[in-house]
Amino acid sequence: MIETKKAHELDIVELTEDLTEFGVRRGERGTVVEAFEYPEESYVLEFVDEGGSNSRLAYGVKPDKLINVNAIAKTHYARGMSFLEKGNYVSATLELQQAIELIPSYIRSLHESIRQVFAPREDWESLIAALQFVIRLNPSYIIAKYNLAIAFLNYGAQRANQGHYLEALQLFQAALRVEAQDEVRSLTTENISTTHTALATRAYEASDILVACKHFEAALTFKCDTRTRQDLALIYFYIGDYYLNKNDADNASVHYQWAQDAGLIIPAVLNNHGVALATRGDLESAIVLFESALGLAPDDDILKANLLRATHKKSASEFVTEQTHADFNPIPSLHVAASLSA
């Protein structure tokens, strides 16, 4: 059976002429409340003001006095989706923009169709591109922005778990650039910290302790907790040893102090800091550190010998450093957002 009715209940229609008897004018849009076929086709329309508090009804409106906005928008939307499937993004954009201008809720339909296609199979890269397309159509559609941040977060976690840490960092930074919910932003900053920790560990294992230090410092910037602070303190200690072995007692002393400031107050740090100070000629400060270290490890023979050397003002070359057997903390698991917003 061929459909001949101009509109159906709940359709959005637009008047093509004034209906002065009902106080509505050409161009106003209303909703079909009732549709009649007998004795002739006509409609009851409801017009609601912008505030949504007042409405007006128009009775017996003939089909030649209205345009079915829903039908036009539906046609544009169908064409747009067809172009989108074919990869013709220019034509798809034009058609979908017209559909959304007529029926703003179509942006929700487009977003939902995209979410259902890409999210279940965790195709985050495709989802990101699709959501960016949605946002270009309607820059104020907040749900698409929230989900774009989640897609960046989850894609970053996916790439980091595959060992692509630098790419993961870029994706996490992209997530922070997008307007997002507080929970997603918190998970993202934690992931950035974790990724810097992973990069720091990788650099340390490659004997590039200065690069490792930069990543541990970045990790603490994004998540200032006990674990990241302990890791940073330990790398400061190793860098202190690095500079002391290069006869750079000034830089060594600075990093040993930073290790203590970060909470690593152990005999090896205090001893080696004392050696650095003795090398600089500051024997009084060195004695204080050796005595403090002995307070923590009274049976340590190296500490006893270094204190004796400092007391008797021995040559700096006679002082002995100590090593620590401390390890960096295990790298935490990366976070993903549980689900996208519908």
Side-chain angles (χ1 to χ4, degrees):
M1 183 176 180
I2 299 175
E3 176 65 62
T4 59
K5 290 175 64 175
K6 189 73 171 282
H8 301 82
E9 289 184 8
L10 301 182
D11 278 356
I12 305 298
V13 297
E14 182 177 307
L15 294 178
T16 58
E17 58 183 81
D18 297 343
L19 299 178
T20 55
E21 66 272 33
F22 300 113
V24 291
R25 303 178 65 83
R26 176 186 177 186
E28 286 195 60
R29 291 183 181 178
T31 303
V32 176
V33 178
E34 290 187 76
F36 300 97
E37 294 185 70
Y38 303 101
E40 59 183 340
E41 184 179 347
S42 64
Y43 301 92
V44 178
L45 309 179
E46 181 181 25
F47 298 86
V48 180
D49 63 16
E50 291 184 2
S53 57
N54 297 312
S55 66
R56 295 154 292 162
L57 292 174
Y59 299 92
V61 180
K62 299 298 187 291
D64 61 344
K65 294 183 179 180
L66 56 85
I67 296 172
N68 189 328
V69 176
N70 277 80
I72 298 172
K74 185 177 181 180
T75 300
H76 284 302
Y77 185 79
R79 289 175 182 166
M81 294 302 288
S82 177
F83 283 129
L84 197 59
E85 291 175 0
K86 296 174 183 176
N88 187 343
Y89 298 107
V90 174
S91 297
T93 299
L94 293 174
E95 293 288 347
L96 290 171
Q97 281 179 334
Q98 291 184 70
I100 293 165
E101 286 174 5
L102 293 169
I103 305 294
S105 62
Y106 268 125
I107 193 71
R108 188 183 307 116
S109 301
L110 176 62
H111 170 270
E112 182 62 14
S113 65
I114 287 171
R115 186 182 71 86
Q116 291 181 1
V117 169
F118 297 115
R121 61 179 190 242
E122 297 185 352
D123 185 357
W124 305 119
E125 186 175 15
S126 298
L127 180 59
I128 286 168
L131 289 172
Q132 289 171 331
F133 178 76
V134 171
I135 293 169
R136 284 196 293 273
L137 291 173
N138 184 354
S140 64
Y141 191 52
I142 191 64
I143 294 177
K145 293 180 180 180
Y146 287 170
N147 284 341
L148 179 58
I150 290 173
F152 276 126
L153 167 66
N154 290 356
Y155 190 28
Q158 185 182 80
R159 296 302 285 163
N161 286 328
Q162 294 167 347
H164 302 288
Y165 295 121
L166 292 176
E167 182 182 347
L169 278 180
Q170 293 176 345
L171 291 164
F172 294 142
Q173 290 289 353
L176 291 181
R177 286 195 292 270
V178 181
E179 189 171 355
Q181 294 158 304
D182 290 342
E183 179 184 359
V184 173
R185 297 187 70 82
S186 177
L187 293 176
T188 301
T189 54
E190 286 192 30
N191 278 1
I192 292 175
S193 177
T194 297
T195 305
H196 276 297
T197 297
L199 285 167
T201 302
R202 177 183 285 181
Y204 176 76
E205 291 171 350
S207 300
D208 197 343
I209 60 173
L210 297 181
V211 170
C213 181
K214 294 299 181 184
H215 283 297
F216 277 129
E217 288 175 333
L220 187 69
T221 299
F222 283 95
K223 188 176 183 182
C224 189
D225 64 356
T226 300
R227 176 188 60 78
T228 50
R229 188 176 291 107
Q230 288 173 342
D231 287 339
L232 182 59
L234 188 56
I235 199 66
Y236 281 150
F237 172 60
Y238 290 143
I239 292 176
D241 286 350
Y242 166 80
Y243 280 120
L244 192 58
N245 289 332
K246 293 174 70 69
N247 296 316
D248 186 347
D250 290 337
N251 263 322
S253 181
V254 168
H255 283 84
Y256 289 136
Q257 185 59 58
W258 287 354
Q260 294 166 71
D261 292 342
L264 190 64
I265 301 176
I266 60 175
V269 174
L270 298 176
N271 175 76
N272 292 8
H273 191 185
V275 172
L277 292 175
T279 302
R280 293 170 51 186
D282 189 354
L283 292 173
E284 289 186 5
S285 297
I287 289 171
V288 171
L289 286 171
F290 293 141
E291 289 176 341
S292 297
L294 278 169
L296 299 175
D299 297 325
D300 190 310
D301 291 333
I302 291 178
L303 286 170
K304 292 177 182 178
N306 280 343
L307 178 59
L308 187 63
R309 293 180 185 108
T311 303
H312 289 84
K313 300 181 180 181
K314 296 291 185 179
S315 168
S317 62
E318 298 185 36
F319 290 89
V320 179
T321 59
E322 293 199 65
Q323 301 296 317
T324 180
H325 300 291
D327 294 320
F328 296 112
N329 288 294
I331 300 171
S333 299
L334 289 154
H335 298 288
V336 296
S339 61
L340 299 178
S341 301

